[in-house]
Amino acid sequence: MIGCFRYLNAYPYRRLLEHAGMPYRLFDEPVALAEAWQRGEVAAALLPLRYVRRFGQVLPWGIGSAGPVQSVLLLSDFPPADWEAVVPDAASTSSIALLRWLMGRKYLPSLPVLSYPTSLRVGRLFIGDSALRWKKFYPYAIDLGAITHQSSGKPFVYAVWCARKVLHGRLSRLFRQPWEIFSWAEEAAREYRFSATEVYQYWQAIQYRLPRRMVRLWGRRLASASSKIPYL
């Protein structure tokens, strides 16, 4: 069985799997998929980078960006200079690690990362479809994809496909097949309740093919940053 999460950014992978007749299981949250991978319930999975342990299982495909990604956002009713803490949503994994790395490098103010807000003056970390839906309701927004690319000069990797040996080669060949982005955008627009142009523009901001060196680089960076700022 193959595992994929339900977010809009993963929809093209779902369509490729369906076209190839390869059954897959959808997970509402990336964390739940990562836990299923760790338990051996799936033989291939689109994993948040934080959960990648064996780089020999990595495929050069996933979710990345070289600039604004639109779906990893710090949102607030207050300007960033007034924030007292950052509060991530429960689905965040790689994005929390990225946030800590940016804070550790002084690209963002070093603030407590809290599991729940203690005041209104916080930056709220939204990921995935929630970020796409909620961004229009907040006057202040920081796109972590944009600030990461500006500060490091490198694309960031949010999630990557990993596969055990039985599926590694087959998925590598499948993902190299032509992508019917225009027709898929129309389909996804109906399912996710965005306009087709919004879906297409969002997908254009995502890097789906990822150099393995970038996966290794960010895997090391996030691992080193994870323990430096407490999550309270």
Side-chain angles (χ1 to χ4, degrees):
M1 180 62 70
I2 298 167
C4 188
F5 45 77
R6 197 181 296 274
Y7 290 171
L8 175 59
N9 54 20
Y11 187 85
Y13 289 121
R14 292 170 51 192
R15 292 298 287 115
L16 287 167
L17 292 169
E18 290 164 6
H19 179 73
M22 300 179 72
Y24 64 90
R25 177 182 168 190
L26 271 183
F27 291 78
D28 290 332
E29 302 292 353
V31 174
L33 173 53
E35 291 171 348
W37 167 264
Q38 290 175 335
R39 293 192 297 267
E41 296 174 6
V42 291
L46 181 55
L47 292 179
L49 185 58
R50 283 279 310 277
Y51 289 88
V52 175
R53 297 292 179 267
R54 299 180 180 178
F55 286 95
Q57 296 175 325
V58 168
L59 281 70
W61 298 92
I63 307 291
S65 72
V69 70
Q70 304 180 52
S71 55
V72 183
L73 302 175
L74 285 170
L75 302 176
S76 183
D77 290 317
F78 298 90
D82 292 344
W83 295 354
E84 298 172 0
V86 172
V87 180
D89 68 19
S92 302
T93 54
S94 296
S95 300
I96 294 177
L98 173 59
L99 180 67
R100 290 170 168 163
W101 184 82
L102 290 168
M103 288 181 179
R105 292 297 185 97
K106 309 301 182 184
Y107 299 132
L108 286 175
S110 184
L111 296 171
V113 181
L114 306 178
S115 56
Y116 58 90
T118 56
S119 80
L120 295 177
R121 294 180 180 274
V122 297
R124 297 178 179 272
L125 178 60
F126 287 82
I127 69 167
D129 301 349
S130 293
L132 295 173
R133 298 187 192 285
W134 281 100
K135 62 183 180 181
K136 63 184 176 183
F137 296 107
Y138 288 89
Y140 298 97
I142 295 176
D143 189 310
L144 293 195
I147 195 171
T148 301
H149 191 251
Q150 290 168 2
S151 59
S152 71
K154 298 182 184 301
F156 183 68
V157 178
Y158 304 94
V160 66
W161 277 97
C162 291
R164 308 193 199 282
K165 188 174 181 180
V166 66
L167 286 174
H168 200 281
R170 187 175 179 187
L171 286 179
S172 294
R173 292 188 295 273
L174 174 62
F175 294 155
R176 289 196 297 267
Q177 297 300 309
W179 290 36
E180 300 175 13
I181 291 295
F182 290 107
S183 61
W184 294 348
E186 295 280 355
E187 299 168 1
R190 292 190 292 270
E191 179 174 337
Y192 291 87
R193 299 183 180 181
F194 293 104
S195 72
T197 54
E198 286 176 316
V199 172
Y200 179 77
Q201 290 171 353
Y202 173 49
W203 287 348
Q204 289 295 104
I206 296 172
Q207 286 195 350
Y208 286 102
R209 185 149 195 171
L210 305 171
R212 285 190 175 90
R213 66 181 184 278
M214 284 291 98
V215 177
R216 289 181 177 273
L217 172 68
W218 284 110
R220 291 194 301 268
R221 286 181 173 180
L222 298 193
S224 66
S226 294
S227 61
K228 294 182 180 178
I229 297 178
Y231 185 24
L232 306 175

